Amino acid sequence: MDLSKLNPPQREAVTTLQGPLLVLAGAGSGKTRVITHRIVHLLDERPGHLQARNILAVTFTNKAATEMKERLVHMAGPRAQGVLVCTFHAFGAEMLREDIYRLGWPKKFAIADMGDQLANIRRAMREHKIDDRSFDARKVLTLISKAKNSGKVPEPKPEGIGDDYDLITHLVYPDYQRALKAQGSVDFDDLLLLPTRLLREHPDLYAKYTRRFRYLLVDEFQDTNTAQLELLKLMAGESRNVCAVGDDDQCIYSWRGAEVRNILDFDRFFPGGKEVRLEQNYRSVQTVLDAANAVIARNPERKAKQMWTDRKGGQTVKVVCCPNDEEEARFVAHEIQKHLSLGVALDDIAVLYRTNGQSRPVEELLREKGIPYEVVGGSEFFDRREVKDVIAYFKVIVNKLDEISLMRIVNVPARGIGDVTMERLHIHARGQGVTLWTAMQRAREYEDLPPGAGEKVAEFVDLVERYRAAYEHGQLANVTRKLLEETGFREAIRGLASTATIAEKKLKGVDGVLNSLENFEKREGPKASLPTYLNRLSLDTRQEEEEVPGGNKRVTLMTVHASKGLEYRLVFFIGMEEDLMPHGGMQGEPQNLEEERRLCYVGITRAKELLYLTRAAVRTKRGKEVPRTPSRFLEDLPPEVVEKIDLDAPRQGPPTTEEKNFFANLKERFKRPGLPGGAGPSGGAGG
């Protein structure tokens, strides 16, 4: 393979094959290129000793893993097919699929979704006489997840430091874990913790995995948490051939458990390694990089890097003060219109913000001007009620111990099995020490059920058992169509919807599940099964960040968190004010100023050519005008790369060349028939 097109540090990272290696890859420095070249170089250099199956590359989303695998096969041909490229959680799920029974789970385990997890937590709270209306089950789940990701059991904090939630989480945690195991389920975090247990407790498995995976590569290493680091340390074995690629300056997910110390202390976890820094940027002009370098340089604990590019110069960074939030939105919409008329494409423009609530005024103004846009991170397809109902059927058919899904669909569509029936069946199950499903199988024997209920329950049990057998033969989408038809699922949706339009939307959701199954069957071929589909679904919906913008020609609106890894010719980073950027801290959490600075760095480095940093002097909050303080990060910007614009200041001098060009182009567009001034005919998507 030709390495001559790599720059010297990239080449060093690719050709260092033995022992631990930390590649510090600054924004836009070509890290994916380094990882793929390194894997192909390994296959070239070690043909006798190394097969593709001995290499494991771990990244953070399924989308990134798929793209990397495609790139590898394109570069190295069919021999690269054997390289395992996946996420940490997908790797953990594969390990558990083979050996989870050693830890006391059934071989066919399920991955609990958010709804299942919350139902288990609420049940545990009620058992401890904790009111689940006064205390938020989601917050308890977040604290459990945080503890698991940091490899700890939730403990109450010392007197005067913790709050009620710490104590509730400590009380609920053992019941929550027991409930999952009783249902034959694991949660998302267990996909990291249980494989670690397997490797620690079973020497034969440790030997098997460390013998097979002799070279490990981790992308986005700054996003790893403690649980992932522990798994990686075990997988590295004695050879410790770990190549970690990441950028501490882009560690922006601490609220999700990401631990910046993993990258800062890499040499403590993997001693005797090498460090290579990639500082040449292939994305942005120098003015943008100067602004980003100046902001991030102020972070006290970081690996020093100075991003640079061959693309010298570039337009100044526009720092804009607007009178209020509405004028900020108006300014952004006007500038977008201007740049569209100057030839910038719709899908090469992004508006970034710190919190979702900031998008609304911009959406309104873009809609007003007829500029098509999309908001990244709308409501999730798999959160829709009718979709969750179909998935709950699948879960019960695969795993009859899943009482949460069972309770969800036992009377959906309505089949005469009410709450009284289910409550009495629960009492029988507890009294006889059997599962709810076993009690349902015995329903005809119980005399205290409402008239006819025992027969109805028996019919439901028969339905589930018949479809369990039917799904064993594949044809998942076809079997699902029969199931929906037999249960009258579609008719029930039509009957319950208040309008034909709502019914249509809900039925589209059901069709979406069928399409998803068909695509899955195409991809997996004869290996496609219902348990695999459910596990893949749980992994996909939990791991993918908000859906990345598609091929639509639209302006993109999204949070800075969602923008990581993306790039745009023109970027508007709005709300550059104290308490927004940097944010004041979420839900009682203290402000994390170092992470906010990293977030600002990520936002700035999304821009390839043009960057606007805007703020409002006043924002309307609950009907009141509140004066705003400029973000401290604006003070860090080098004066020579910045142009300050104050919309309240009186206009000075004649119009600029850029403005003259704008008006000339606009006139020209209006002369042409059928073209509105700078935008396509469709309205905004978004909302």
Side-chain angles (χ1 to χ4, degrees):
M1 182 181 54
D2 180 17
L3 303 181
S4 64
K5 293 207 169 68
L6 301 176
N7 67 37
Q10 287 176 335
R11 202 154 45 244
E12 188 182 1
V14 165
T15 55
T16 302
L17 300 182
Q18 289 304 117
L21 170 68
L22 176 62
V23 181
L24 289 164
S29 62
K31 69 181 176 64
T32 311
R33 195 173 186 210
V34 165
I35 295 169
T36 49
H37 276 71
R38 192 172 193 273
I39 292 171
V40 177
H41 189 63
L42 271 169
L43 293 172
D44 286 347
E45 289 297 298
R46 303 260 191 281
H49 311 282
L50 187 75
Q51 293 177 309
R53 67 186 302 277
N54 302 133
I55 301 171
L56 170 64
V58 186
T59 185
F60 269 78
T61 66
N62 295 307
K63 184 172 181 287
T66 304
E67 285 172 1
M68 190 181 289
K69 184 66 176 274
E70 284 169 358
R71 208 156 154 178
L72 279 173
V73 172
H74 177 72
M75 288 167 70
R79 65 188 173 139
Q81 286 288 6
V83 177
L84 182 57
V85 186
C86 60
T87 65
F88 271 104
H89 292 88
F91 177 71
E94 280 302 316
M95 270 184 82
L96 295 181
R97 207 158 282 138
E98 286 188 39
D99 294 296
I100 195 170
Y101 70 91
R102 298 195 190 199
L103 299 173
W105 266 262
K107 264 199 152 183
K108 279 188 176 176
F109 68 95
I111 302 171
D113 69 13
M114 182 80 78
D116 301 338
Q117 291 174 278
L118 290 170
N120 280 326
I121 284 170
R122 288 190 185 106
R123 188 189 292 171
M125 285 166 77
R126 286 194 288 272
E127 281 171 11
H128 285 277
K129 307 285 188 287
I130 299 161
D131 185 357
D132 62 340
R133 287 164 303 185
S134 302
F135 293 96
D136 182 6
R138 281 176 186 273
K139 188 160 184 185
V140 176
L141 180 57
T142 300
L143 290 172
I144 286 175
S145 181
K146 255 187 179 173
K148 284 185 168 190
N149 284 330
S150 58
K152 295 175 188 148
V153 170
E155 294 288 353
K157 290 183 179 157
E159 191 77 29
I161 296 177
D163 61 14
D164 291 343
Y165 277 103
D166 295 308
L167 182 58
I168 291 167
T169 306
H170 168 67
L171 290 172
V172 160
Y173 178 70
D175 299 334
Y176 168 73
Q177 285 298 102
R178 265 196 301 275
L180 282 177
K181 197 167 185 179
Q183 292 159 7
S185 296
V186 299
D187 70 15
F188 199 58
D189 303 312
D190 290 332
L191 297 176
L192 303 173
L193 298 177
L194 297 180
T196 303
R197 261 186 69 190
L198 282 173
L199 293 175
R200 282 213 177 102
E201 295 172 16
H202 297 277
D204 62 317
L205 291 182
Y206 174 79
K208 170 183 156 182
Y209 280 98
T210 52
R211 249 201 317 270
R212 176 177 166 187
F213 295 110
R214 287 156 49 197
Y215 285 88
L216 310 177
L217 295 95
V218 185
D219 189 14
E220 305 286 9
F221 187 68
Q222 77 281 347
D223 293 340
T224 53
N225 58 39
T226 305
Q228 285 161 331
L229 179 70
E230 288 308 307
L231 181 57
L232 187 65
K233 277 156 58 177
L234 283 164
M235 286 290 298
E238 287 171 24
S239 63
R240 294 180 308 119
N241 289 327
V242 175
C243 171
V245 183
D247 181 6
D248 53 304
D249 291 337
Q250 295 186 71
C251 180
I252 59 173
Y253 295 119
S254 69
W255 47 278
R256 220 165 53 186
E259 183 48 76
V260 72
R261 295 248 57 103
N262 289 359
I263 196 165
L264 294 177
D265 297 341
F266 181 81
D267 52 351
R268 184 159 65 83
F269 304 123
F270 300 99
K274 189 183 217 181
E275 187 174 288
V276 175
R277 297 179 189 222
L278 307 181
E279 294 171 297
Q280 184 173 355
N281 177 290
Y282 293 94
R283 175 191 299 153
S284 307
V285 293
Q286 193 63 50
T287 47
V288 168
L289 295 179
D290 287 346
N293 285 334
V295 168
I296 201 63
R298 300 289 297 275
N299 254 2
E301 282 200 89
R302 64 183 285 262
K303 301 262 189 187
K305 292 175 288 302
Q306 191 74 9
M307 299 306 296
W308 62 275
T309 179
D310 281 340
R311 302 175 68 193
K312 296 299 174 202
Q315 286 195 33
T316 51
V317 174
K318 311 286 189 290
V319 175
V320 187
C321 176
C322 308
N324 54 47
D325 40 356
E326 192 181 331
E327 288 303 320
E328 181 185 42
R330 195 176 302 285
F331 172 79
V332 169
H334 174 268
E335 291 297 297
I336 287 174
Q337 201 170 38
K338 180 177 91 176
H339 285 291
L340 288 171
S341 76
L342 294 170
V344 179
L346 280 161
D347 57 352
D348 226 348
I349 303 172
V351 182
L352 309 183
Y353 35 81
R354 177 64 178 84
T355 62
N356 282 308
Q358 290 170 258
S359 75
R360 190 192 52 76
V362 179
E363 287 184 61
E364 286 175 6
L365 266 297
L366 291 178
R367 209 177 286 135
E368 193 181 291
K369 288 183 180 288
I371 298 172
Y373 68 89
E374 66 177 323
V375 180
V376 175
S379 80
E380 290 294 325
F381 170 74
F382 286 100
D383 284 344
R384 294 180 190 174
R385 182 177 174 171
E386 62 283 356
V387 172
K388 283 179 130 174
D389 289 341
V390 178
I391 302 296
Y393 265 100
F394 294 165
K395 287 180 173 183
V396 171
I397 286 163
V398 164
N399 175 16
K400 51 198 172 191
L401 297 176
D402 185 345
E403 290 184 11
I404 290 157
S405 298
L406 184 54
M407 291 299 289
R408 184 183 182 102
I409 50 103
V410 71
N411 204 35
V412 174
R415 52 172 65 87
I417 305 174
D419 291 345
V420 173
T421 302
M422 293 314 292
E423 202 173 312
R424 288 181 185 167
L425 287 170
H426 265 295
I427 292 166
H428 286 296
R430 276 200 295 272
Q432 296 174 337
V434 296
T435 65
L436 178 60
W437 183 257
T438 303
M440 288 174 75
Q441 287 175 312
R442 299 171 183 173
R444 286 194 184 101
E445 301 167 20
Y446 303 131
E447 291 175 6
D448 60 345
L449 300 187
E455 196 55 46
K456 296 272 195 320
V457 172
E459 284 169 14
F460 174 75
V461 167
D462 172 62
L463 175 93
V464 171
E465 295 292 8
R466 275 190 293 110
Y467 277 93
R468 180 172 291 133
Y471 277 108
E472 289 292 330
H473 304 295
Q475 297 285 310
L476 307 185
N478 284 339
V479 175
T480 303
R481 281 191 187 92
K482 284 178 190 154
L483 171 66
L484 296 174
E485 198 176 319
E486 183 173 341
T487 56
F489 197 87
R490 287 176 184 277
E491 289 71 28
I493 284 177
R494 284 194 190 94
L496 290 169
S498 53
T499 69
T501 311
I502 290 172
E504 207 49 49
K505 190 175 178 188
K506 287 178 177 293
L507 290 169
K508 269 188 180 160
V510 176
D511 290 335
V513 178
L514 292 167
N515 291 341
S516 164
L517 278 169
E518 281 170 349
N519 291 336
F520 172 72
E521 289 182 281
K522 272 181 204 153
R523 278 200 314 272
E524 298 294 312
K527 285 193 298 180
S529 72
L530 203 54
T532 316
Y533 173 75
L534 287 172
N535 285 351
R536 183 69 51 84
L537 204 59
S538 298
L539 287 170
D540 284 354
T541 50
R542 285 295 296 270
Q543 286 181 326
E544 300 310 322
E545 290 316 306
E546 288 105 327
E547 197 55 39
V548 168
N552 305 354
K553 295 288 185 190
R554 300 178 180 280
V555 173
T556 305
L557 276 60
M558 64 181 144
T559 64
V560 192
H561 279 104
S563 74
K564 189 163 166 287
L566 303 175
E567 55 184 53
Y568 296 89
R569 190 171 159 197
L570 167 59
V571 168
F572 295 86
F573 194 164
I574 67 175
M576 294 297 294
E577 302 144 32
E578 289 295 305
D579 290 334
L580 272 180
M581 189 75 252
H583 199 277
M586 294 283 203
Q587 297 169 339
E589 294 277 319
Q591 185 183 45
N592 184 343
L593 197 55
E594 289 185 29
E595 181 142 329
E596 291 297 311
R597 195 176 279 285
R598 294 196 286 268
L599 205 48
C600 186
Y601 172 81
V602 166
I604 289 172
T605 52
R606 299 312 95 199
K608 295 197 279 190
E609 292 174 20
L610 301 156
L611 174 66
Y612 287 76
L613 303 174
T614 71
R615 67 181 180 88
V618 169
R619 249 173 226 283
T620 307
K621 270 194 169 178
R622 298 185 190 92
K624 285 186 181 168
E625 290 198 335
V626 183
R628 307 289 295 171
T629 308
S631 167
R632 67 191 75 187
F633 302 149
L634 295 176
E635 294 167 19
D636 302 331
L637 302 173
E640 64 274 13
V641 303
V642 165
E643 178 189 340
K644 290 187 176 176
I645 301 168
D646 187 344
L647 298 189
D648 257 353
R651 176 63 192 263
Q652 302 285 321
T656 63
T657 313
E658 195 182 53
E659 285 169 328
K660 284 179 189 165
N661 288 346
F662 165 61
F663 289 115
N665 281 336
L666 206 54
K667 273 185 195 166
E668 195 56 41
R669 286 175 85 92
F670 278 119
K671 283 178 195 168
R672 280 180 272 162
L675 268 180
S682 57

